[in-house]
Amino acid sequence: AERMTHNKYFFSGRLEAVRQTPGGGNLPQEFVPEENPEGPHEKDVLPLAQTADPFGSPSYNINPMLLEAIRMSDLFWDHLQQYTTFAQMVDQIYYNVDYVTGWVPGTHGKKSTGMQSAVRGVSTAGTPGVAFTMLLKLFIMKLTRPQIKVMLEHPDSPYIRAMGFLYLRMAMTDGYKELWGWFEPHLGDKEEFTIDGTAQTKTTIGEFAKRLLTDQDYFGDRLPRIPVLMQRQINANVKAWEAEQAKLPAQPASSVEPEVQLGSQMGDQLENLQRGHDKYTEDHESRRERDREREHERDERGRGERERDEHRERDRERERERDEKERKREREAERAKEKEAEKEREREREREREKEWETKREKEREADREREKTKRKKQEVHTLEARIKLLRKTIVAKEDEEGIAKLL
């Protein structure tokens, strides 16, 4: 008997749908004619690696297990397909991404127990992370070079920038020849963020970019291998960059006398501090207002999405119930059809048996007729032989009488 599975996607047909439509309804972005200066233009698309999964669908160098989990997720299948432009996806990253690992932290590599254990047919791979789910969406959209540059320099969120670096590191083609040119301007970036959402992985954009260049291990997964010669060149470039940073000259000393220089410096510092404080206050208030607006928008959007998800779940449940009833009716009709077919086969077998029996009886009657005919022939032969024998006796007796008469 087949082993039962408790994976909800098995019953809803999601697995079969993923096989038939691996993009989950997500499509490339729409490009505009070249005469439109705003873009995006198809000629500016950054070529991506032409790797494929075992079924021939593009995999973009993503770990096969992670790729399958992303394609099966509700976020990729039901939610992201409604966003069709680059600006919409950047907003989604801003609102929803607060870590950039492939799996939701704490879910990958743990063994499940109880009803959800692997022995009952449920995968223990983990839950795919939001960042990599959106990264697959970006791969399908086919970003242009200007769009990638916007992500790398985006001022609103370090996670948007980190996603830009991952886009380049994961799926760049042509042997990663352009990788250093994209990464080098950002190696000194000091903006901080956490890679997996915890304080233990707090780092800067520059250190993160440097790690992507030099380390293939990435939080339980492996990044695509950079060709050996290119990796050596990148490592040498990183060392040269670090050496240059260490040799940066100090600020030149002023020729003003110490007391005058100190007073001037203090005045400049106070003035700078005041300007900086005013600018900080203005920027801080502006950021707070913008954050409040975004938080309100995110809450409203979250409520709308939750309601939409609830409606969709109810629709899916009703659809599953209808499908189950339809399958039940089909099974019953199939069983009735099979029973009728079996009865017809039995009737056919009975007709065949009767036909065989009639043929056998006909052969027996034919054999009886042959035997009767043979018997009659034998009787006729015996009768004829008896007549011949009697005739011979008659002829012999007559000859004897004639012989006696001659003698007399």
Side-chain angles (χ1 to χ4, degrees), residues 82 141 198 211 221 286:
Q82 65 183 305
M141 289 182 67
T198 64
R211 174 174 181 168
D221 281 314
S286 176

Side-chain angles (χ1 to χ4, degrees), residues 363-375:
K363 288 181 178 179
E364 290 177 351
R365 287 193 292 268
E366 184 66 25
D368 291 341
R369 286 193 293 270
E370 288 294 329
R371 284 193 295 270
E372 185 64 26
K373 185 177 179 181
T374 302
K375 183 178 179 181

